[in-house]
Amino acid sequence: MSGWEIFWDVVPYVTLAVVAVGTWWRYRYDKFGWTTRSSQLYESRLLRIASPMFHFGILVVFIGHVIGLFIPESWMDLVMSDHVYHLQAVILGGIAGVAALLGIALLIYRRRATGPVFMATTANDKTMYLVLVAAMVAGFACTAIGVTPEGAEHDYRQTVSPWFRSIWILQPRGDLMVQAPVYFHIHVIIALVLFCLWPFTRLVHVFSAPIGYLFRPYIVYRGRDVAEKSELVGSRPQRRGW
Ligand code: HEM
């Protein structure tokens, strides 16, 4: 067994341990710092365009990862041909990938160009942005490299995907990952570094996205004018109008 194979067998578990313990620690010791540290108050014009562009793009990319990594190729073959799978991955994934990259480029530009937003940016944020962008660019390279009309140069659903699933069933298959081209290795290593940083950055907001907002009932606000005035303005009975 080569060292490289052992690396792919062991490092995902180290990453999972860092994420689990790190998230628990962050929640225990920094419950009130568990936030995006929104900068909307400082600038909202650019944010209004860039933030949804990035978030919708990355959400579609995330769904693409779940489908491509968790669903075995043999199952997918029952639903669509290889050609159709590849086409939708490149077209849908391409659009989502470009939206996410454009969105993050705009967000970073805004952070640099808007004085108060730049002032509120810490070294921790800068490191996180660097690793996030590197993971995205390397991922995009995996989609783009070696693409021909017939399909991709390398079928990651024979290497990266079964390796990914093997981690979760506690039977790691580093030997499969070793067979993937180097650009997949680079992408996944950067992703693992990002996962290790996750609990210690503003990215924790992903674990508490306010999804309930979409479904909660409206809040009804009532003025307190009438009740307050009645206390101040003597004993005249309160009626609407005169
Ligand atoms: C262990 C974790 C991960 C694995 C195994 C993985 C694997 C892959 C694979 C196989 C592709 C090529 C998909 C295709 O061509 O259809 C890809 C693309 C991509 N990945 Fe990852 N990835 C991981 C984590 C991440 C993370 C954390 C990010 C960003 C935050 C990310 C961002 C991207 C992007 C932007 C693309 C291009 C997809 C597109 O154009 O739609 N990945 N990834």
Side-chain angles (χ1 to χ4, degrees):
M1 198 186 275
S2 71
W4 200 212
E5 201 176 318
I6 296 173
F7 175 92
W8 291 111
D9 280 343
V10 173
V11 169
Y13 294 108
V14 176
T15 307
L16 280 171
V18 172
V19 173
V21 176
T23 307
W24 170 80
W25 173 85
R26 174 85 189 263
Y27 190 73
R28 286 274 324 224
Y29 291 99
D30 186 31
K31 203 178 281 182
F32 297 107
W34 188 285
T35 157
T36 58
R37 286 198 293 106
S38 168
S39 55
Q40 189 181 14
L41 272 177
Y42 303 135
E43 198 281 343
S44 65
R45 200 176 50 87
L46 261 177
L47 189 70
R48 230 184 353 245
I49 304 164
S51 179
M53 193 190 279
F54 168 73
H55 283 94
F56 283 116
I58 206 78
L59 190 68
V60 174
V61 168
F62 173 74
I63 294 170
H65 278 70
V66 172
I67 295 173
L69 296 176
F70 276 108
I71 301 182
E73 190 168 11
S74 55
W75 296 12
M76 199 53 97
D77 286 347
L78 303 174
V79 186
M80 60 179 86
S81 72
D82 259 13
H83 183 66
V84 172
Y85 175 85
H86 183 69
L87 219 60
Q88 63 85 29
V90 171
I91 295 173
L92 275 180
I95 295 170
V98 168
L101 277 172
L102 257 177
I104 197 126
L106 263 176
L107 285 172
I108 292 173
Y109 164 77
R110 165 184 176 274
R111 220 153 243 287
R112 186 65 195 88
T114 316
V117 182
F118 185 56
M119 298 282 285
T121 306
T122 62
N124 178 306
D125 294 332
K126 288 177 194 162
T127 313
M128 183 277 288
Y129 275 118
L130 191 73
V131 181
L132 177 62
V133 170
M136 291 169 63
V137 170
F140 205 72
C142 292
T143 304
I145 290 177
V147 171
T148 62
E150 290 80 47
E153 173 192 84
H154 175 78
D155 185 2
Y156 62 83
R157 290 185 299 159
Q158 307 262 354
T159 54
V160 182
S161 305
W163 162 80
F164 182 80
R165 292 194 295 274
S166 76
I167 302 300
W168 299 100
I169 56 170
L170 306 181
Q171 287 167 15
R173 291 285 312 271
D175 57 312
L176 291 174
M177 194 58 185
V178 168
Q179 293 167 37
V182 66
Y183 44 89
F184 283 98
H185 294 162
I186 295 174
H187 174 52
V188 178
I189 288 174
I190 301 173
L192 295 178
V193 172
L194 183 69
F195 293 147
C196 288
L197 294 178
W198 206 285
F200 312 102
T201 65
R202 59 206 294 173
L203 291 178
V204 287
H205 77 271
V206 172
F207 298 137
S208 45
I211 311 268
Y213 246 57
L214 300 173
F215 307 104
R216 69 162 166 73
Y218 297 115
I219 293 175
V220 179
Y221 290 96
R222 290 208 189 89
R224 297 197 333 186
D225 263 352
V226 174
E228 274 165 8
K229 270 187 201 140
S230 69
E231 279 174 35
L232 296 173
V233 188
S235 56
R236 185 181 74 82
Q238 288 292 320
R239 272 181 245 107
R240 280 161 68 88
W242 283 99

